[in-house]
Amino acid sequence: MTTNDDFTTTKFLQGNANRYLRAGQSGAYLQDKFQFRSNLSLTAGLRWDWDGGLTEKYGRIYNFDPSRYSYDDATDTLTSNGIIIAGNNKLFPTKGVSNTTLTGRQWGFAPRLGVAWSPKKFNDKLVVRAGTGIYYDRGELFSYLSPGFAEGVINGGPFGVNQTPPYVNAQSCGNDPAAAPYITYYLDYIPTCPSGVAGVPNYNLSSPWGPTLGPAPTGNPMDVNNYLPYTTAPGVGIQAGILDGEQLFSFATYNRANKLPYTINDTLDFQWQPRNDLAIEIGYVGNFGRHGVIPIPFNQPGIASPSNILHPNSQNPQSYTYGYTVQTPGCTVSPYTCAINLPNGQQMAVNYEGGNVDLRVPYLGYSAESESYTAAGVSAYNALQTHIEKRMSHGLQLGFSYTYSHALDEQSGMGLFFNGNNPLNLRSAYGSSDFDRTHVFNFSYNYELPKFFPGSTLKGKLANGWGLYGSSVFQSGQPYSVIDYTGAVGSIFYSVYDGITNPVVPLAPGCTAKSARTSYSGANAYYNPNQTALNPACFTLPLLDQNALGGAIPTGDTFETNFTNGQRNIFRQTWQRRVDISLAKVTPLTERVVLKYSFDVFNVTNTASFDVPIDDVSQNQFYNQFPVFGQPALPSQGAGSFYNPPASLGAVNKTIGSPRQIQMTLRVNF
């Protein structure tokens, strides 16, 4: 059961959400070392890895095969929903499908090569090392089997895959045809079940899911059809249900064709010891990722235009592209009735996910936000690493490191949604990783005071064993983008319901990432709105003109937006600094017992290291999908505009690390 605070809205999950997942794994490795000279060696190896796909003890794994999906235009019904079941399922196995449902290669060969050379002219004081190799990793982590936040009928988030049909059914007031028309939405998104409505069962704490439970799940993939729009109503088809605003079925799967992700790692390192207590190291480190797993919405709506009609043979072919439903001025009957007409004379539609979004998807009946975790991502990391160390002599040890690097990718880490703009154009999101740090400086020191008196005397026990230890870190801030989920970016694809991408707000003409920055960090923006880290005037919206995209945007609709191309993580937060210091004393009490005292100060200067500013704005503040014909789109176009200026742009509300902390410890080691 899930609850929303004090609101009468819950879900009852019927079925077994437990999964007994297992996966096979094996590897073989062959390596040899060739000593060509006393100062030159070559190491070569070859590894074979097999990381078998996930299976489930009872075969309770499903997937989606687009080639098995079949929609009948004439009858507006599905002849096959494309859902397949693992081959070891005892009740409903799909013929020809493996126990993992995967078809992609889950193994690979990984060569490795390493060279070490010490030039004789440097008298063994210089060593050069280089290496390269391929390293495979498992891509089918369970987090990738979790649907993101979508406008569908199932639970999203981690392990959401365990709470979906055909193995688990969720029941709420939304499943009750009598109650559905009376559901209200607190804050426009928290569904609240009806109570006290004549002819409708009360939904309260004694019966939060209604008076009776619906049918239990059977595990049959055909059960998914019960969650598609109107497929259970005789004579009523998929498109008819979509036109009535029926809810869609959303889900996420691990792409059957995925291959194992791998990285190519390269190193080149010079180590020089000019004297016995000094070592200098300079090196290059490279890491290049391939087949990274990225959540891609495989059912993203297409662009419909008079010259590119989508579903042309169906009962409701689509000739225009829109995520909003423009309303007739002064009309207040309903969004359906008040919608303006398209150039072909038809009224604008109101689909569940906005505009005619659900009528433009490739696979009718499924949510536009249904995801396929696809091994298609690339990444790169290049770094120059330097280190100088003065080894302990005369009680002093010093170390200094500097790294100059750049990490790039399209998706940083695991996630339930795509980090960039248009997920069908992954390379447009290729940019600095969320964790990229261009410059990192590290400085450390240890100084142990000399012994003033013999250790066996009382004076020695009090005066000897003192030391001062410290470390300092100075590093570049993290990169970030400015994003907007409210439909102000990419409305033609997801209207106001984009829960699976990071729609980047583009820079205005004439502005650059540098000129858009102010002189402030954004830390005081809540107290002084004029001290935000970014200048709101340097941002715009990717508005589409009427008849844009080859006539796809209908006349009268001046509110639609597209995705931006690039501009991911083009901003960077201010530098982060931290200095720690410790005063310690070690006192031997006996040969086996030692007393250690330390006085530690963390973040000595009490310097705040700011996290990235608030990077999401709401330029369609109330997620309104019903603009009015003739209404100004932008604030610059007149009063009462549909979109509002970005507020709190670049305001910081959290820090990284802790404030100054002081602690003392006393330890006995024996």
Side-chain angles (χ1 to χ4, degrees):
M1 181 182 76
T2 59
T3 62
N4 285 318
D5 300 326
D6 297 328
F7 303 99
T8 54
T9 172
T10 64
K11 286 185 179 180
F12 182 81
L13 302 180
Q14 288 192 85
N16 190 345
N18 292 328
R19 294 292 181 273
Y20 301 91
L21 297 169
R22 64 275 317 269
Q25 183 174 0
S26 63
Y29 189 72
L30 177 67
Q31 176 178 304
D32 200 359
K33 182 176 181 180
F34 305 91
Q35 193 72 42
F36 295 107
R37 296 180 181 179
S38 61
N39 64 337
L40 177 63
S41 65
L42 173 69
T43 302
L46 180 65
R47 181 180 178 89
W48 176 80
D49 283 303
W50 173 67
D51 292 316
L54 288 175
T55 63
E56 205 274 334
K57 181 178 180 181
Y58 302 106
R60 291 179 297 195
I61 293 180
Y62 72 87
N63 213 316
F64 179 67
D65 184 353
S67 67
R68 296 174 187 255
Y69 174 92
S70 178
Y71 169 77
D72 189 321
D73 290 315
T75 61
D76 192 19
T77 57
L78 288 186
T79 55
S80 174
N81 61 23
I83 300 296
I84 59 175
I85 303 295
N88 62 327
N89 188 289
K90 300 255 191 243
L91 298 176
F92 303 100
T94 301
K95 185 178 180 180
V97 173
S98 68
N99 294 352
T100 66
T101 74
L102 303 182
T103 59
R105 175 169 51 82
Q106 303 302 300
W107 55 268
F109 289 99
R112 318 276 171 86
L113 188 66
V115 177
W117 176 48
S118 179
K120 290 185 177 181
K121 65 180 297 183
F122 290 93
N123 300 317
D124 297 329
K125 298 293 185 180
L126 176 68
V127 178
V128 181
R129 296 183 178 89
T132 185
I134 295 177
Y135 299 82
Y136 286 94
D137 196 4
R138 178 178 297 281
E140 200 178 23
L141 299 172
F142 196 72
S143 294
Y144 292 137
L145 298 177
S146 302
F149 179 81
E151 287 300 306
V153 298
I154 62 173
N155 296 318
F159 304 104
V161 69
N162 284 6
Q163 304 172 23
T164 67
Y167 303 114
V168 173
N169 290 347
Q171 178 161 331
S172 67
C173 59
N175 303 120
D176 183 354
Y182 301 98
I183 296 175
T184 58
Y185 291 87
Y186 179 78
L187 297 180
D188 294 326
Y189 74 96
I190 301 177
T192 304
C193 297
S195 181
V197 178
V200 178
N202 278 336
Y203 287 83
N204 48 44
L205 291 179
S206 61
S207 58
W209 314 291
T212 59
L213 291 178
T218 66
N220 189 333
M222 293 300 294
D223 286 356
V224 170
N225 288 0
N226 297 329
Y227 293 87
L228 302 180
Y230 271 8
T231 50
T232 57
V236 181
I238 295 285
Q239 286 189 333
I242 292 175
L243 286 169
D244 280 347
E246 288 296 304
Q247 203 168 23
L248 288 302
F249 182 76
S250 66
F251 62 99
T253 61
Y254 189 78
N255 195 294
R256 300 184 69 204
N258 282 350
K259 299 178 181 179
L260 283 183
Y262 68 90
T263 59
I264 304 171
N265 295 349
D266 299 326
T267 61
L268 176 62
D269 184 74
F270 297 85
Q271 290 182 316
W272 179 40
Q273 186 177 344
R275 65 187 198 200
N276 290 336
D277 66 339
L278 185 65
I280 300 174
E281 183 175 349
I282 301 176
Y284 163 78
V285 174
N287 180 294
F288 307 95
R290 297 294 182 267
H291 296 169
V293 178
I294 296 180
I296 297 177
F298 66 87
N299 208 30
Q300 179 169 300
I303 303 298
S305 69
S307 60
N308 183 43
I309 300 175
L310 299 182
H311 305 293
N313 299 319
S314 69
Q315 297 178 12
N316 295 278
Q318 296 301 298
S319 302
Y320 297 96
T321 297
Y322 52 96
Y324 294 121
T325 303
V326 182
Q327 303 289 287
T328 303
C331 182
T332 59
V333 180
S334 75
Y336 294 87
T337 305
C338 295
I340 67 171
N341 287 338
L342 298 166
N344 61 5
Q346 297 177 350
Q347 256 192 324
M348 293 186 95
V350 185
N351 294 173
Y352 186 79
E353 294 180 289
N356 68 341
V357 165
D358 299 325
L359 291 170
R360 291 186 284 115
V361 297
Y363 306 102
L364 290 168
Y366 293 129
S367 167
E369 298 179 277
S370 296
E371 293 178 320
S372 173
Y373 287 88
T374 305
V378 298
S379 63
Y381 174 78
N382 293 279
L384 171 67
Q385 299 180 342
T386 63
H387 180 71
I388 302 174
E389 182 171 346
K390 180 194 175 299
R391 295 167 183 164
M392 182 68 73
S393 63
H394 306 291
L396 179 64
Q397 179 177 343
L398 299 173
F400 172 78
S401 299
Y402 168 67
T403 300
Y404 174 68
S405 65
H406 196 188
L408 301 108
D409 58 27
E410 301 141 333
Q411 175 85 12
S412 295
M414 295 188 299
L416 299 178
F417 50 87
F418 177 52
N419 286 166
N421 280 297
N422 188 347
L424 301 189
N425 182 12
L426 293 181
R427 301 305 174 256
S428 70
Y430 191 72
S432 296
S433 304
D434 295 351
F435 49 82
D436 178 55
R437 307 278 190 172
T438 306
H439 305 281
V440 179
F441 296 88
N442 280 280
F443 178 69
S444 62
Y445 59 89
N446 298 339
Y447 179 62
E448 297 179 357
L449 274 66
K451 295 181 179 180
F452 300 101
F453 303 101
S456 59
T457 65
L458 178 60
K459 291 181 179 180
K461 294 187 181 298
L462 294 176
N464 296 346
W466 288 94
L468 189 65
Y469 311 92
S471 65
S472 303
V473 178
F474 304 88
Q475 62 184 0
S476 304
Q478 298 160 285
Y480 63 95
S481 314
V482 176
I483 53 183
D484 192 322
Y485 301 107
T486 65
V489 180
S491 71
I492 59 173
F493 297 105
Y494 299 109
S495 185
V496 299
Y497 300 108
D498 192 342
I500 55 174
T501 74
N502 276 353
V504 177
V505 179
L507 289 170
C511 284
T512 65
K514 183 177 180 180
S515 63
R517 287 294 310 263
T518 66
S519 59
Y520 303 104
S521 66
N524 297 320
Y526 281 101
Y527 305 100
N528 187 344
N530 295 321
Q531 294 186 6
T532 56
L534 299 173
N535 178 10
C538 268
F539 294 87
T540 186
L541 295 179
L543 276 176
L544 290 166
D545 294 330
Q546 301 174 77
N547 301 312
L549 303 178
I553 307 303
T555 302
D557 187 353
T558 58
F559 310 96
E560 302 298 339
T561 58
N562 204 340
F563 282 126
T564 304
N565 187 30
Q567 303 193 29
R568 171 177 170 252
N569 284 347
I570 60 175
F571 304 106
R572 191 175 294 272
Q573 183 54 294
T574 55
W575 282 67
Q576 297 167 355
R577 301 170 291 277
R578 182 184 175 98
V579 177
D580 300 333
I581 191 170
S582 296
L583 178 66
K585 177 176 172 23
V586 177
T587 305
L589 300 180
T590 67
E591 291 184 356
R592 301 179 59 186
V593 181
V594 176
L595 182 68
K596 184 176 181 180
Y597 164 79
S598 66
F599 179 81
D600 309 312
V601 183
F602 304 101
N603 194 1
V604 175
T605 59
N606 201 29
T607 301
S609 293
F610 299 114
D611 201 350
V612 297
I614 295 176
D615 58 358
D616 61 308
V617 296
S618 299
Q619 296 177 91
N620 182 357
Q621 186 173 357
F622 300 105
Y623 294 80
N624 180 13
Q625 56 180 307
F626 304 113
V628 178
F629 178 79
Q631 182 182 11
L634 300 176
S636 60
Q637 297 174 348
S641 62
F642 179 69
Y643 293 111
N644 51 274
S648 301
L649 189 61
V652 173
N653 63 352
K654 52 185 177 295
T655 60
I656 295 177
S658 62
R660 181 193 296 126
Q661 293 184 354
I662 301 175
Q663 70 177 27
M664 290 188 292
T665 61
L666 186 63
R667 239 182 7 251
V668 178
N669 297 333
F670 57 92

